[in-house]
Amino acid sequence: MSNDKFLDKPPESAALTEYDRAHATLYMRLLDAAADGADWREVVSIVFEIDPEENPSRAHEIHEAHLARARWMTEHGYRQLLRGASH
């Protein structure tokens, strides 16, 4: 994923956003990496194509913000995603 295809922070919303829909695969990759205990620096390097050594604070914030939204998707957003798929 090219680093110009994502925001530093996903939009905060109680509803599923177009950004969420467009980045569902990214969210799944983040959740898988977290479940596997992967180092966030390696994840940022691979998934976001960002060098965590270049700007560690920004890289960490991007990772944490997207991982938090991915976790939100597992608790709330997926229901909206499934409802949309049934129409």
Side-chain angles (χ1 to χ4, degrees):
M1 167 170 284
S2 172
N3 62 13
D4 62 345
K5 294 183 182 176
F6 60 87
L7 302 172
D8 281 5
K9 292 184 179 183
E12 292 184 28
S13 173
L16 192 67
T17 67
E18 286 304 313
Y19 187 88
D20 294 326
R21 292 179 197 284
H23 293 86
T25 300
L26 176 136
Y27 294 158
M28 286 186 272
R29 291 179 72 189
L30 291 174
L31 292 167
D32 284 345
D36 289 344
D39 184 285
W40 71 267
R41 290 173 284 271
E42 183 178 1
V43 175
V44 165
S45 177
I46 294 168
V47 175
F48 294 99
E49 297 179 3
I50 293 175
D51 181 356
E53 300 298 318
E54 189 174 303
N55 190 338
S57 177
R58 178 176 176 255
H60 190 256
E61 289 175 15
I62 288 170
H63 176 265
E64 291 302 307
H66 282 82
L67 181 56
R69 189 64 178 181
R71 289 182 172 140
W72 175 87
M73 288 285 293
T74 67
E75 297 170 6
H76 307 286
Y78 79 93
R79 292 182 191 111
Q80 297 172 37
L81 191 61
L82 292 175
R83 273 191 295 238
S86 66
H87 291 116

